């Protein structure tokens, strides 16, 4: 199931990179899968407890709100992070958000350098969907285990 979640996250990341928006229906697919899995199996898609998935949903939605309030993230980014929390559970979404923040930091530095060199026009925000997808892949393919191995 991790591959399916990864493909879903990558699809959202690619869509956001291409259009600078994340459609609600794409996020709802992941959230529906998380809720249905919890209802049928009694645990999350990746084996997380219902409590962990619920807390992951809440924390995944709350942590990006500061970026949304500052105008740096869109509402779709916040909803995507919350859905990732429901799918990955609390520890998974925390790792995914940390990895995403690192990817966005590097992307921002690269973007600023390109503006300084005159190779790119100024945009309001950098799409966060691709970074969130990379963060999800980091978790799905045992990124934290690699870090502490």
């Amino acid at each position: 199931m991790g591959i399916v979640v990864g493909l879903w996250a990558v699809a959202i990341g690619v869509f956001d990179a291409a259009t600078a928006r994340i459609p609600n229906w794409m996020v709802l697919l992941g959230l529906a899968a998380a809720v249905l899995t919890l209802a049928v199996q009694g645990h999350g898609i990746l084996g997380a407890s219902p409590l962990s998935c619920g807390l992951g949903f809440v924390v995944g939605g709350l942590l990006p709100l500061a970026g949304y309030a500052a105008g740096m993230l869109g509402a779709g980014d916040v909803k995507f992070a919350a859905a990732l929390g429901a799918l990955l559970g609390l520890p998974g979404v925390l790792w995914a958000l940390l990895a995403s923040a690192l990817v966005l930091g590097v992307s921002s530095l690269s973007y600023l350098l390109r503006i300084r060199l005159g190779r790119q026009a100024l945009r309001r925000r950098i799409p966060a969907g691709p970074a969130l997808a990379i963060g999800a892949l980091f978790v799905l393919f045992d990124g934290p285990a690699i870090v502490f191995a």
Side-chain angles (χ1 to χ4, degrees):
M1 287 309 291
I3 291 173
V4 174
V5 174
L7 289 173
W8 167 79
V10 167
I12 290 177
V14 168
F15 195 92
D16 191 27
T19 65
R21 60 183 287 287
I22 297 174
N24 288 335
W25 67 268
M26 290 181 89
V27 174
L28 285 174
L29 282 176
L31 191 56
V35 170
L36 285 172
T37 303
L38 282 168
V40 172
Q41 295 182 352
H43 58 79
I45 286 178
L46 303 175
S49 72
L51 179 62
S52 179
C53 291
L55 289 173
F57 175 76
V58 171
V59 171
L62 287 177
L63 285 180
L65 279 180
Y68 175 73
M72 299 168 77
L73 296 176
D77 300 322
V78 175
K79 291 180 266 188
F80 182 26
L84 280 173
L87 289 163
L88 301 176
L90 182 59
V93 77
L94 290 174
W95 279 111
L97 289 174
L98 177 62
S100 299
L102 294 173
V103 170
L104 278 172
V106 171
S107 297
S108 297
L109 290 175
S110 170
Y111 172 68
L112 291 172
L113 181 61
R114 288 192 310 255
I115 288 173
R116 181 151 176 101
L117 296 175
R119 295 185 185 153
Q120 186 166 350
L122 185 63
R123 290 190 306 196
R124 178 165 164 85
R125 72 172 189 95
I126 297 170
L132 288 166
I134 289 169
L137 293 175
F138 175 78
V139 171
L140 291 169
F141 296 102
D142 293 329
I146 293 168
V147 171
F148 292 111

